[in-house]
């Protein structure tokens, strides 16, 4: 089974975040495993939970956030 991980650092809720949730729902409906890595308590995090999407809450502190990079490598 193919696993697909989307990542999103934004706290907002707009076109990009809506597209990500829609894509994960679509791929799950086609038999793939879709996951999301995002900031805890962000709007996309809340929407993912509503859509029964497995979420990996991460810090996403910036371009050189080595802790988040390390966590992403562990997830992958």
């Amino acid at each position: 089974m193919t696993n697909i991980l989307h990542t999103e650092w934004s706290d907002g809720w707009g076109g990009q975040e809506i597209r990500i949730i829609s894509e994960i729902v679509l791929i799950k409906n086609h038999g793939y495993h879709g996951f999301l890595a995002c900031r805890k308590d962000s709007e996309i995090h809340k929407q993912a939970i509503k859509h029964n999407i497995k979420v990996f809450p991460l810090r996403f502190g910036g371009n050189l956030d080595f802790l988040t990079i390390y966590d992403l490598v562990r997830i992958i």
Side-chain angles (χ1 to χ4, degrees):
M1 181 64 64
T2 301
N3 296 316
I4 300 169
L5 174 67
H6 278 270
T7 59
E8 180 58 49
W9 67 270
S10 170
D11 290 327
W13 182 247
Q16 175 75 7
E17 296 81 11
I18 293 168
R19 181 192 59 79
I20 290 170
I21 294 295
S22 298
E23 284 181 3
I24 296 172
V25 168
L26 180 69
I27 63 175
K28 285 177 64 178
N29 288 339
H30 283 86
Y32 298 94
H33 294 284
F35 307 99
L36 174 66
C38 64
R39 288 183 171 165
K40 185 177 181 180
D41 298 325
S42 63
E43 190 58 36
I44 194 170
H45 183 265
K46 295 171 191 170
Q47 293 295 325
I49 291 170
K50 285 183 187 177
H51 287 88
N52 200 31
I53 296 169
K54 168 91 171 140
V55 180
F56 297 97
L58 300 177
R59 190 175 108 116
F60 286 99
N63 291 341
L64 295 176
D65 181 359
F66 294 110
L67 181 58
T68 297
I69 293 168
Y70 175 78
D71 287 340
L72 280 170
V73 169
R74 287 183 46 214
I75 291 167
I76 294 169

